[in-house]
Amino acid sequence: YRLRMDVYECGILICGKDLFEVTILVASCFLVNYVTADAKTNWAEGGIMVSFYFILVCVICSFIRTR
């Protein structure tokens, strides 16, 4: 019984990880599309991108630490 439970938990973890990666990829694509839509960027839009990626790093680090 314990082996089956471990496999089940591992399957959920892998599914959650894949969903998290896909969400990050889609959000990054939307952000880059928003910033470069008018073919002009300024420091505020660059700050938005840097802050978004900084938040991603913080979330990923906390996700890794909880495992």
Side-chain angles (χ1 to χ4, degrees):
Y1 177 73
R2 181 68 182 154
L3 180 61
R4 289 183 180 177
M5 191 64 170
D6 290 342
V7 171
Y8 182 69
E9 289 173 359
C10 184
I12 289 174
L13 182 62
I14 290 171
C15 179
K17 183 182 175 190
D18 290 342
L19 181 63
F20 181 67
E21 290 174 355
V22 169
T23 304
I24 289 174
L25 181 65
V26 170
S28 297
C29 289
F30 278 120
L31 180 65
V32 170
N33 186 28
Y34 168 74
V35 169
T36 60
D38 60 352
K40 296 177 185 175
T41 58
N42 57 23
W43 63 272
E45 291 173 337
I48 291 170
M49 291 183 71
V50 169
S51 64
F52 178 75
Y53 291 122
F54 179 73
I55 291 169
L56 285 179
V57 167
C58 293
V59 169
I60 291 169
C61 287
S62 68
F63 181 72
I64 291 171
R65 288 183 189 160
T66 58
R67 292 190 75 219

